Amino acid sequence: MRQTIYLLLLGLGLVLIRPQMANANEWAQAIEFAQTGQTEAALPLLERLVSANPNNKEYRFELALALYRLGKNFRAKWHLEQVRGANLTPNERALVERFLADIAARSVWSGTFSIAFKPESNAARKTEAETVNIGGLEFQLNADSRAKPGTSVLLTSGLGFSPRLTDRIKASFAVQTNVRFNEDRSLRDDQGTVRAGLSYAANDGSNYSGGLYFGRRWLAATPYSSATGLWADYSRLIGPQGRLDLGWDISNTSYRAALPDSQRHLVTAGFSHAIDGNARIGLSGFLESTRGSFSNLVGNRAAISVSGLYAWDGGFMTSLRFTHQIDRRKGADPIFGIVRHDEMTSLEVNLYHRNFRFESFAPTLALGIENNRSNLPLAVFDNRYISFGLTRDF
């Protein structure tokens, strides 16, 4: 099957050649390298062609094939998902879906690593008010209880192993870590999660997966909580350009501090739609219900996010995400005597260039704002941040 895909994709590149004259030489050289098995030499030429002409489906087809041959499955899949938005013939579209299925079937190891420096105007997400009113009395807040700027270093890493058990069933093992380091010890937040389960690829292109997970969290460099739970995911292509993702999670959390255990139910949903081969839009959200014996600390949360990605001619990439989240607690706050209601709105813009690389890492720049409104004065805050980092998926 893989040999057939090689030949068909290479044929697409040869039959559908309509590049502009300015790119004709690079395109011809890239095809020559591909035909003679010099994939490493063809890759930089194809990268430049796609950067200069992000909505050209022939260039993306050949780039995806080169990445696939080099074992760069994550990047090959990303370009195939993007080219689904182009004006494809029925045969081309069927080939893309077969290619995506083959990538999913053959992928065994996957990983990600990123590091970012994140200066924030309100790193602790605290109120800017100098006083609060409790029971008709004014209380002065000290500096540690109020907003202040700070810079954190964020480290994210993940490693997955998915060996094939049968033609359609794979095992699934993954480790994920998230580290937030700050000079202020109270702002440090470290998390680690281990997952194990199974995944099943159905005949219609759907993918079902699920299993167990265990997580630990440290706040201020001190053990804070541990969680165990069950998870399940579902994914499938919808129509010629869309993808649907659904998730479910149920867990129990135990705290090291003087807090009782809590139970969480989480449902997630997301839909992405490719447009014109160089743009993508998405809609996602979640519903979360937390239960426990402290009613003022548990309740329901819900959020919805709208996102978009656009590739400009020349290699410049921009993405945007707008999120609105609602948080409703069950019981009255012991200090203010009211049931907490929060609404948070955030907007983040990411910028990067396809041709800029630091070794195998891609530099990224993010700009964001956050605004939280609450009936608890101490929970009202604004935050602005800029993040510069390096990221790699493999």
Side-chain angles (χ1 to χ4, degrees):
M1 178 179 176
R2 292 177 186 172
Q3 288 76 9
T4 302
I5 289 176
Y6 290 156
L7 294 174
L8 289 173
L9 282 177
L10 190 58
L12 282 172
L14 294 171
V15 174
L16 301 173
I17 295 175
R18 298 183 185 91
Q20 298 177 357
M21 292 302 296
N23 301 314
N25 291 336
E26 281 195 335
W27 177 243
Q29 189 174 18
I31 291 299
E32 182 180 351
F33 283 145
Q35 288 178 315
T36 56
Q38 301 178 70
T39 309
E40 288 277 7
L43 184 61
L45 298 175
L46 294 169
E47 291 275 18
R48 287 199 295 270
L49 287 167
V50 170
S51 295
N53 305 271
N55 61 345
N56 186 301
K57 63 181 179 180
E58 290 81 28
Y59 296 164
R60 280 200 190 269
F61 273 129
E62 286 300 329
L63 177 57
L65 176 57
L67 292 168
Y68 179 85
R69 284 173 166 169
L70 294 172
K72 302 179 185 295
N73 297 315
F74 181 90
R75 293 184 59 204
K77 178 183 176 182
W78 192 92
H79 285 288
L80 288 169
E81 290 280 5
Q82 198 68 22
V83 83
R84 291 182 65 223
N87 183 24
L88 303 180
T89 66
N91 287 339
E92 292 170 354
R93 196 168 298 285
L95 180 59
V96 170
E97 293 183 5
R98 286 173 55 193
F99 197 18
L100 286 169
D102 191 59
I103 288 176
R106 84 162 194 172
S107 298
V108 176
W109 290 97
S110 62
T112 182
F113 178 83
S114 67
I115 180 171
F117 299 89
K118 187 178 181 181
E120 300 176 84
S121 64
N122 185 359
R125 291 166 174 76
K126 295 181 178 180
T127 180
E128 296 181 358
E130 297 183 358
T131 63
V132 294
N133 188 296
I134 303 176
L137 299 176
E138 289 287 330
F139 290 87
Q140 186 77 28
L141 296 177
N142 60 38
D144 291 336
S145 300
R146 293 161 47 199
K148 59 181 178 181
T151 300
S152 299
V153 178
L154 308 179
L155 292 171
T156 300
S157 64
L159 183 64
F161 177 58
S162 302
R164 183 185 295 189
L165 303 180
T166 70
D167 287 344
R168 297 195 175 276
I169 298 176
K170 299 175 71 175
S172 175
F173 304 97
V175 179
Q176 178 79 33
T177 63
N178 295 278
V179 176
R180 182 190 187 193
F181 177 81
N182 194 288
E183 289 185 345
D184 185 342
R185 184 186 178 95
S186 66
L187 298 181
R188 298 177 188 176
D189 188 351
D190 308 324
Q191 299 181 57
T193 304
V194 178
R195 291 175 178 261
L198 297 172
S199 66
Y200 172 76
N203 286 325
D204 61 358
S206 300
N207 187 273
Y208 303 82
S209 59
L212 306 171
Y213 74 89
F214 174 75
R216 293 288 299 272
R217 186 177 184 183
W218 295 260
L219 290 179
T222 301
Y224 177 70
S225 65
S226 60
T228 56
L230 303 172
W231 61 274
D233 291 328
Y234 169 79
S235 176
R236 71 164 298 165
L237 301 179
I238 300 293
Q241 296 162 275
R243 177 177 289 276
L244 175 68
D245 294 286
L246 301 174
W248 171 81
D249 182 305
I250 181 172
S251 63
N252 183 83
T253 301
S254 301
Y255 298 90
R256 294 294 184 93
L259 294 174
D261 292 359
S262 64
Q263 297 78 42
R264 186 186 72 158
H265 294 259
L266 175 69
V267 177
T268 61
F271 179 79
S272 63
H273 181 80
I275 306 172
D276 293 336
N278 66 326
R280 189 183 301 175
I281 58 174
L283 180 66
S284 61
F286 72 80
L287 296 172
E288 179 188 64
S289 175
T290 305
R291 296 291 180 266
S293 57
F294 281 15
S295 59
N296 64 298
L297 298 179
V298 301
N300 300 310
R301 288 196 308 150
I304 186 168
S305 294
V306 180
S307 61
L309 178 145
Y310 189 83
W312 304 83
D313 290 356
F316 192 63
M317 309 278 289
T318 58
S319 64
L320 178 147
R321 179 178 293 274
F322 174 83
T323 303
H324 186 71
Q325 178 177 296
I326 298 174
D327 188 343
R328 298 287 187 264
R329 304 296 171 89
K330 290 293 186 179
D333 183 85
I335 297 177
F336 292 93
I338 57 176
V339 178
R340 180 174 174 177
H341 291 176
D342 285 17
E343 291 195 24
M344 187 171 76
T345 302
S346 63
L347 176 67
E348 181 175 282
V349 178
N350 284 271
L351 312 168
Y352 61 101
H353 198 286
R354 282 180 40 82
N355 296 338
F356 292 165
R357 287 281 193 275
F358 182 77
E359 297 296 336
S360 57
F361 290 85
T364 59
L365 177 68
L367 306 170
I369 56 175
E370 299 171 323
N371 173 270
N372 193 70
R373 290 295 169 258
S374 174
N375 59 348
L376 264 62
L378 292 177
V380 176
F381 71 82
D382 292 294
N383 184 37
R384 298 173 298 280
Y385 62 86
I386 180 171
S387 172
F388 176 76
L390 300 171
T391 184
R392 182 188 179 191
D393 294 291
F394 53 92

